[in-house]
Amino acid sequence: MTSTSKTTGADAASIASVDAAKAYAAESLIAEDIDAYLEKHQHKSLLRFITCGSVDDGKSTLIGRLLYDSKMIFEDQLSALEKDSKSSGTQGQNIDFALLVDGLAAEREQGITIDVAYRFFATEKRKFIVADTPGHEQYTRNMVTGASNADLAVILVDARQGILTQTRRHSYLVHLLGIKNVVLAVNKMDLVGYGKDWFDEIVENYKEFAQSIGMENFTAIPISGLAGDNITSLSAGMSWYKGPTLMEMLESAPINDSRMLDRDFRLNVQWVNRPNLDFRGFSGNITSGKVKPGDDIRVLPSGKTSTVKSIVTMDGDLEEAVAGQSVTLTFNDEIDCSRGAVITNASSPVEVADHFETTLVWMAEEEMLPGRPYIMKIGSNMVSATITEPKFEVNVNTMAHEPSRTLKLNAIGVCNINTDRAVPFEAYNDNPDMGGFILIDRITNATVGAGMIHFALRRSQNVHWQAVDIDREAHAAQKNQKPRLLWFTGLSGSGKSTIANLVEKKLFALGKHSFLLDGDNVRHGLNKDLGFTDVDRVENIRRISEVAKLMTDAGLIVLTAFISPFRAERRMARELFPDGEFIEVFIDTPLDVAESRDVKGLYKKARDGKLKNFTGIDSPYEAPQEPEIHIDTTEMDAEAAAERIVSAILNESD
Amino acid sequence: MISSNRLTHLQRLEAESIHIMREVVAETENPVMLYSVGKDSACMLHLAKKAFYPSPPPFPLLHVDTTWKFKAMYELRQKAAEDAGMDLLVYQNPEAIEKGINPFDHGALHTDMWKTDGLKQALDKYGFDAAFGGARRDEEKSRAKERVFSFRSSNHRWDPKNQRPELWKLYNARKAKGESIRVFPLSNWTELDIWQYIHLENIEIVPLYKSAMRPTVERDGMLIMVDDDRFPLKEGEEPVMRSIRFRTLGCYPLTGAVESEAATLPEIIQEMLLTTTSERQGRAIDHDQSASMEKKKQEGYF
């Protein structure tokens, strides 16, 4: 990656001189009446924004320009900058603003920024925090990080290039993270002769794209970061553009906290404050809404209610606290409330759930493993979470939905997530602090992913499933039987399928309603996308278990015949069913006997090394320790075994 | 209505710092607050008092001492801890004491041994797994990319390429045994924010920040205050009384003063806004090259 192409054509533009900066100099109020100045400036608001653009779009130059124009560059930095500009700058004898913001030594040598850097500047109206992130595709992670806290995004395009793939990628990410204020800054207008046509065409193209991704509105501004056009004042070269300037936009855009103010009250409890037996306060940050003493509140997940007694701060009790503030609340009743709880207004509490649909951004070199437990941090909760394989991955360059089995570094996909404990939450779009989460690797403790909750797939509190009038009891009663899952397990060639088949025939003859799920048959249809790796074996069993579960809900006696060599998977299946419904049937055939039968010739292939991961040969079989039914095939034939199984379940169940 | 509900930039910064401190207390086992007695430390301590009120902050203060701080700093140190109801731990590197390491004879070694080594030794001695520091991202270019939760290996190294992404208000404080984190609750504050907050909240600071007549000598273009009789005067050199103040405080022989008449906080802020040199210029430590700070950080300097 070279940096030499950066801001090419700079020689065509003139750089504001040091004298100009001095002319901009401190407002006269500072010198004349500092108290008045301070009074004015303590009421400033704070806007966080992100700048997105690729190496050639002049992003660092623009940020350098904003710092420079708001007098955030001191003389010593300026002289260092002048020196650096000559030694490693790309602007000849002129000042290279980009050098001001390219931070770490390694990056400066490479000429690209590789991480998120935060810059600060202020005007009379606002203080600004800029998250400066690199634009390459491999840095999606950094852009998402920078965008997560931004009130506004500046998307830079080079006027000569127009809307590029990376423009679309940046816009998609900005929209994904829910940023409401988007500025399309068409940069380097000086290099296209300040032409209105160039600008209009780019805006038209962008509008079409914005609509296609659901971005509701944006503001387009023609600028030159290098020459300072339409940054703080309207450009003389572009009299056709009537405003706003970039700075006016930054100074007037609404801030997220204001948006959250009108929503229902929510506070994430971080810490319980107990200095002595007489005081019990709940400390946390208000993510939305307002709270007053006397308000009726509810604590989730317990659902207990009380009223607010006081809002305690070191500056005295408050009459009201609002979104964004960190406070401590006390209640009028002693109710259970600890870290991880969410305090809400009593009438409109948040949902509590343990199963979600989410969009996930993967941030680690090691790819996401469906089924593996990660630690999920959401609000102040830490829970164990497992991810299913992506429903689809989003190609961030084309926005196409593509099938995927996993997510690699910087990939984005829609996945379902299960947590081991129900957590209070809201949809990310409604409240980012209640619906955004990170995933942490259990071993390395690294933050490996970030996600946004769309909605809960089932509510854990009170309502479990879609309530249906014809429930599983009704289905079973109609069939005059108790639903059962007969889970046959045993080595390949042990006789599972043969015996299961006989059992079903007997049940059928007795007028029972049943269904046999056979390993090979399932793999031809439902699970034809799965192979024989450990990950796939786990998924294979999970799907079969879920299908069997639906069938028992319908009142059927279900028989499954799979090797299912691992105890952990069989336990996973068992846990899906009510007590007594899952019957483990161990078809116990010694390896040498099974191998000598070798009906399908598979043992020979495995012994010859032509078949990998074959159970009993190079992959273990973990025999059941306490099966409900144990069939020793060296003691009885298939017919006798089937008879025994049928009588066992019918005697037990009827 | 809207305006009364809208938080100012200082209120938002305050809320963020408080949130960060509470996360650390909830998620780490043995946190400590590094207290250097400077204005940033004063601000951070004040925020800690607010975060846990009415409880005192549930961690001690740690001063990694070099024995070469200004006298006025030592005077404020004990008082500030007592006012906050916190324990104050003072650590001095025994090896540096034994070898008599000082800024006059030992140059860079002075900072390495007293501060860098001293800090590591102190953290190891007490087994702290999280340490609050008052560093800000606006201080220096390499700090602009520092995370709020900065992860350190078991030998206190900082790996700029291996930092954890920080999204929303979610900080990952998990670590293996022996590893630790440095936490910077003032990351998003600027020098002006700090001063404005000290002014508004009436926070006690070392008087050296305000101008007064003080004995000084000029060394390498820096005005150095002669704070005690350990200062080796050259032949015929006489300290000169000048009206000076300090924009940053460290070891007195290494800290340059500015000539100033600003004796009140508004005057200090006024001077700062009108001045044209950045804050760290007064420190001898990172004069050499702009990348020196990054090297120091990788070695474990705060």
Side-chain angles (χ1 to χ4, degrees), chain B:
Chain B
M1 196 51 201
I2 292 292
S3 65
S4 69
N5 273 330
R6 206 197 64 193
L7 302 184
T8 67
H9 72 296
L10 289 176
Q11 285 170 323
R12 270 185 88 180
L13 290 172
E14 179 187 79
E16 179 185 69
S17 301
I18 288 174
H19 174 82
I20 291 164
M21 290 182 181
R22 288 170 174 170
E23 281 301 285
V24 171
V25 163
E27 294 210 343
T28 65
E29 283 165 21
N30 191 14
V32 67
M33 179 167 281
L34 300 179
Y35 179 68
S36 73
V37 210
K39 65 177 197 307
D40 300 306
S41 282
C43 209
M44 183 165 65
L45 175 56
H46 186 78
L47 288 162
K49 290 197 263 185
K50 286 196 168 194
F52 302 101
Y53 178 86
S55 297
F59 41 78
L61 293 173
L62 170 66
H63 183 221
V64 179
D65 191 17
T66 65
T67 73
W68 288 95
K69 302 290 174 189
F70 291 90
K71 281 197 300 263
M73 294 171 76
Y74 292 117
E75 282 157 19
L76 181 62
R77 187 173 71 178
Q78 195 61 41
K79 179 172 184 297
E82 277 166 18
D83 288 352
M86 297 164 78
D87 288 334
L88 171 70
L89 307 169
V90 175
Y91 187 85
Q92 298 171 343
N93 179 357
E95 202 191 341
I97 297 177
E98 192 192 319
K99 294 193 169 138
I101 300 296
N102 67 74
F104 302 106
D105 304 323
H106 302 103
L109 193 63
H110 171 78
T111 304
D112 286 350
M113 287 190 70
W114 284 111
K115 294 184 81 171
T116 310
D117 294 349
L119 174 61
K120 291 182 202 169
Q121 290 167 2
L123 294 178
D124 288 344
K125 175 179 170 186
Y126 294 103
F128 294 123
D129 63 343
F132 291 106
R136 308 188 316 266
R137 285 171 175 156
D138 80 321
E139 281 177 71
E140 206 267 337
K141 254 198 288 190
S142 82
R143 280 191 169 153
K145 303 192 176 189
E146 180 75 275
R147 299 294 196 272
V148 174
F149 280 51
S150 181
F151 186 78
R152 304 298 159 108
S153 68
S154 53
N155 47 18
H156 302 282
R157 298 236 4 145
W158 179 71
D159 178 1
K161 294 215 170 59
N162 202 14
Q163 294 203 69
R164 296 169 178 176
E166 288 176 346
L167 296 100
W168 302 294
K169 297 188 180 92
L170 298 173
Y171 302 100
N172 173 3
R174 291 180 62 91
K175 58 206 167 323
K177 215 165 171 53
E179 294 169 341
S180 62
I181 44 174
R182 309 282 165 87
V183 182
F184 304 109
L186 303 181
S187 285
N188 289 323
W189 296 61
T190 61
E191 187 183 10
L192 177 59
D193 297 329
I194 297 282
W195 281 120
Q196 221 163 0
Y197 192 69
I198 288 171
H199 177 52
L200 283 173
E201 296 280 314
N202 228 344
I203 300 169
E204 186 171 6
I205 49 168
V206 183
L208 293 165
Y209 285 111
K210 299 174 184 175
S211 283
M213 296 300 286
R214 297 184 172 109
T216 60
V217 296
E218 213 178 319
R219 289 279 165 88
D220 302 326
M222 284 206 303
L223 282 180
I224 304 292
M225 176 176 160
V226 183
D227 196 44
D228 60 37
D229 52 18
R230 289 180 293 177
F231 194 96
L233 291 170
K234 290 176 189 152
E235 279 271 320
E237 194 175 42
E238 273 289 324
V240 179
M241 294 302 283
R242 288 184 173 95
S243 176
I244 56 156
R245 64 178 199 88
F246 295 87
R247 295 179 64 189
T248 143
L249 292 176
C251 292
Y252 84 81
L254 294 173
T255 309
V258 289
E259 287 196 86
S260 163
E261 302 294 333
T264 66
L265 277 166
E267 284 168 6
I268 290 170
I269 297 170
Q270 183 175 36
E271 195 176 88
M272 191 199 89
L273 289 170
L274 295 175
T275 196
T276 52
T277 53
S278 67
E279 185 182 13
R280 297 199 69 87
Q281 210 202 13
R283 289 196 197 172
I285 177 170
D286 46 40
H287 257 186
D288 329 347
Q289 42 173 319
S290 27
S292 71
M293 202 62 191
E294 190 184 333
K295 276 186 208 146
K296 290 237 171 299
K297 251 166 54 171
Q298 287 188 18
E299 285 155 11
Y301 176 74
F302 213 77

Side-chain angles (χ1 to χ4, degrees), chain A residues 135 538 596:
Chain A
V538 173
S596 67

Side-chain angles (χ1 to χ4, degrees), chain A residues 24 44-49 51 62-73 101 118-131 154 231-232 246-247 250-251, chain B residues 9 138 188-190 192-193:
Chain A
Y24 189 80
K44 267 189 271 200
S45 56
L46 170 60
L47 181 104
R48 291 169 181 258
F49 70 99
T51 52
L62 175 67
I63 296 171
R65 159 69 64 184
L66 287 169
L67 301 185
Y68 185 81
D69 280 1
S70 57
K71 204 185 167 282
M72 296 307 287
I73 302 168
V101 291
Y118 296 90
R119 319 283 171 195
F120 307 86
F121 66 96
T123 64
E124 276 188 39
K125 297 202 177 88
R126 272 187 177 163
K127 168 182 166 132
F128 298 96
I129 301 178
V130 194
V154 177
I231 306 291
T232 53
L246 180 58
M247 193 61 95
L250 294 176
E251 284 183 330
Chain B
H9 72 296
D138 80 321
N188 289 323
W189 296 61
T190 61
L192 177 59
D193 297 329

Side-chain angles (χ1 to χ4, degrees), chain A residues 11 121 146 185 247 276 292 332 349 369 372 404 435 543 545 553 581 585 645:
Chain A
D11 44 337
F121 66 96
M247 193 61 95
N276 54 57
K292 291 190 184 72
N332 282 315
L369 264 187
R372 170 190 278 195
S404 176
R543 288 189 201 172
S545 312
D553 283 351
E581 204 164 290
V585 184
I645 294 163

Side-chain angles (χ1 to χ4, degrees), chain A residues 463-476:
Chain A
V463 189
H464 286 276
W465 288 89
Q466 173 70 36
V468 286
D469 292 333
I470 309 299
D471 58 12
R472 69 194 320 267
E473 278 72 29
H475 281 295

